[in-house]
Amino acid sequence: GSFVRKLVCCVQGVFLRRFPSLRMSPSLRNFLRTAGPPALIAGVLAVVLPWAWTVAVIAAALVFAVITTRPMVGWALIVATYPFIYLQLFVGATINIPYVDVFASATFLAVALRMVIDRWRGVRGAFTLPTLREWTGLVPFLVFLVVGALSLINVGHLGGGIKFLARPLTFFYLAYLILPMVCINTPRRLFTTLRILFAVGGIAAAMGAWALVFPPDPGAFRRAVPIIMHGMTPLGTNHNLIAEVLVSVIPIGILLAAYASERARRWYVVATIAYALINLLTFSRNGWLTLTVEVAVLLAALARTRGVSWRRIAMTAAPIVLAAGVAIGVFSTTSIARSSNNNRLRLTQIALEQFRAHPIVGAGVGTFTEAVSRDRWYIADFGKPQEAHGLVQKLLAETGILGLLAFVAL
């Protein structure tokens, strides 16, 4: 930066000596000294790099400059894009990064840079690094990381396992546990985060509603599923992905309604009810079960604040739980649900086979999907595996009993 500014000043001095009649005002001179270095760098990039890379580098620099100046902008981008993991940045033919991870990396670096600069200047900034004792689940995470590293003794190729330890494990801990602790340090920032999350739930609900009216596959069973946008599926293709977003923001809607003004409270309540309806229309049994638990917790909280007896709570909640159980039981008899059940059962069997072979530290982090891909019968019946359809069996298969216990402690 200082070298480029000196170079600009040198060029400016030579130019003025050659044309002494062209004198600049102090304001124009200051502007050129400020804007000159970025313009000079952009010009060099335009000559050296192809135009696409030039635009990409300049855009990335501008975004990072904005996030460094206002890190909460970066945090807002993380929150707004967190479920859209299939909205990705492609670099070349082999590298693809979800935009949420791009924003998380930029924000993490920007916040770290801000804290270093504030410390160097001797001022107390808006962000402070928590002490190691305040780091959420640091000890269980380190134990889990050690178990994951030990599990690599059962992996044929270490490169993939080491990469898995770095990302997602270490990266996720730093970007999605420690970074929120640093960024969300005031009630205002907390409620801003909650409002963005609730708005993201609105996008997911709108996708589900659109799929109900205009189903992506008219001949298939009609349900709320993610939609295709310009050839992309930002939220994926599985109905459970909409349900996961909605059941996570429904409690947020209730919280926001409790602290909102009278007029805003009505909108939060209406939107929360709409989210619950769309969640039901995903026909996701996980979504139904989670919503049932949330309703039961809400009834218990309301009853406690109003002095209602537990007997009355049970009498009120019993029909809801019974209706949910009947609905899940009836839906489980359909061909769609039976296929899903068989899929999950086979995945569990494969996971238990890996666990029995390596019960202590597992068969190696990041190896479960690869193991499923080697099962010819699974591929013939269900196609290429996309996920484990269950965290417990995945942890047992990849990290053994020690990894599962460490994760539970985390």
Side-chain angles (χ1 to χ4, degrees):
S2 60
F3 170 76
V4 176
R5 285 192 174 88
K6 291 178 180 177
L7 181 60
V8 171
C9 293
C10 180
V11 173
Q12 173 187 323
V14 172
F15 184 79
L16 290 178
R17 283 195 297 270
R18 180 69 178 83
F19 303 99
S21 59
L22 298 177
R23 293 291 175 179
M24 292 181 289
S25 64
S27 59
L28 181 57
R29 185 180 299 110
N30 291 333
F31 171 78
L32 289 178
R33 286 178 178 175
T34 304
L40 183 60
I41 294 173
V44 172
L45 290 175
V47 173
V48 176
L49 298 177
W51 71 269
W53 279 99
T54 301
V55 173
V57 171
I58 294 175
L62 289 175
V63 171
F64 185 73
V66 171
I67 294 177
T68 303
T69 306
R70 296 183 177 274
M72 289 307 297
V73 172
W75 175 245
L77 290 172
I78 296 172
V79 178
T81 56
Y82 90 92
F84 305 110
I85 58 174
Y86 295 97
L87 191 62
Q88 298 178 346
L89 172 67
F90 291 87
V91 182
T94 58
I95 301 176
N96 57 298
I97 312 170
Y99 276 102
V100 61
D101 286 357
V102 174
F103 295 140
S105 301
T107 306
F108 186 88
L109 292 175
V111 170
L113 181 61
R114 282 285 298 269
M115 288 192 293
V116 169
I117 293 174
D118 290 339
R119 191 177 187 88
W120 177 67
R121 295 171 57 190
V123 299
R124 181 178 178 83
F127 303 97
T128 56
L129 184 67
T131 63
L132 291 179
R133 290 185 178 181
E134 297 173 334
W135 283 38
T136 302
L138 177 60
V139 173
F141 169 72
L142 292 177
V143 173
F144 183 74
L145 204 61
V146 170
V147 173
L150 291 175
S151 72
L152 296 182
I153 61 177
N154 300 317
V155 176
H157 47 87
L158 291 178
I162 294 173
K163 179 182 176 182
F164 196 88
L165 287 176
R167 186 195 178 279
L169 296 185
T170 304
F171 175 78
F172 277 26
Y173 179 77
L174 295 175
Y176 301 116
L177 280 177
I178 302 304
L179 183 61
M181 290 178 60
V182 175
C183 291
I184 309 175
N185 54 8
T186 64
R188 180 179 179 181
R189 290 177 177 174
L190 172 62
F191 276 89
T192 299
T193 301
L194 295 178
R195 292 187 185 98
I196 297 174
L197 286 172
F198 195 71
V200 170
I203 297 174
M207 285 185 175
W210 182 273
L212 288 169
V213 180
F214 306 101
D217 187 0
F221 178 73
R222 186 170 296 201
R223 57 167 55 168
V225 296
I227 61 175
I228 300 174
M229 303 173 62
H230 300 289
M232 299 183 299
T233 54
L235 198 57
T237 58
N238 193 285
H239 59 284
N240 288 302
L241 298 172
I242 285 186
E244 288 174 2
V245 175
L246 294 179
V247 296
S248 65
V249 299
I250 285 173
I252 293 175
I254 297 171
L255 178 64
L256 292 175
Y259 285 90
S261 62
E262 186 65 29
R263 183 177 179 180
R265 182 179 298 121
R266 296 175 183 175
W267 286 107
Y268 280 125
V269 171
V270 170
T272 303
I273 294 174
Y275 292 178
L277 292 175
I278 297 296
N279 174 63
L280 293 175
L281 292 173
T282 62
F283 289 91
S284 166
R285 287 169 291 177
N286 290 335
W288 289 358
L289 285 172
T290 306
L291 181 62
T292 302
V293 173
E294 290 175 346
V295 171
V297 171
L298 175 63
L299 290 175
L302 290 175
R304 183 176 181 181
T305 56
R306 298 182 182 183
V308 181
S309 65
W310 285 105
R311 181 179 179 182
R312 189 171 179 181
I313 296 173
M315 292 178 62
T316 304
I320 299 174
V321 175
L322 180 62
V326 171
I328 292 173
V330 171
F331 184 67
S332 296
T333 62
T334 64
S335 59
I336 296 175
R338 287 198 301 269
S339 176
S340 176
N341 293 340
N342 293 333
N343 182 8
R344 294 170 187 267
L345 180 61
R346 184 55 192 146
L347 288 171
T348 302
Q349 291 172 345
I350 296 173
L352 291 178
E353 290 172 3
Q354 281 192 276
F355 171 66
R356 283 193 291 267
H358 307 283
I360 306 301
V361 295
V365 292
T367 61
F368 180 68
T369 304
E370 180 182 343
V372 177
S373 299
R374 293 194 298 266
D375 190 301
R376 294 182 303 164
W377 299 112
Y378 182 90
I379 299 298
D381 289 339
F382 306 108
K384 184 179 179 181
Q386 299 294 327
E387 56 186 16
H389 267 306
L391 183 61
V392 174
Q393 58 262 43
K394 178 178 173 65
L395 288 172
L396 280 175
E398 295 187 351
T399 60
I401 189 64
L402 292 182
L404 178 62
L405 293 176
F407 191 86
V408 171
L410 177 62

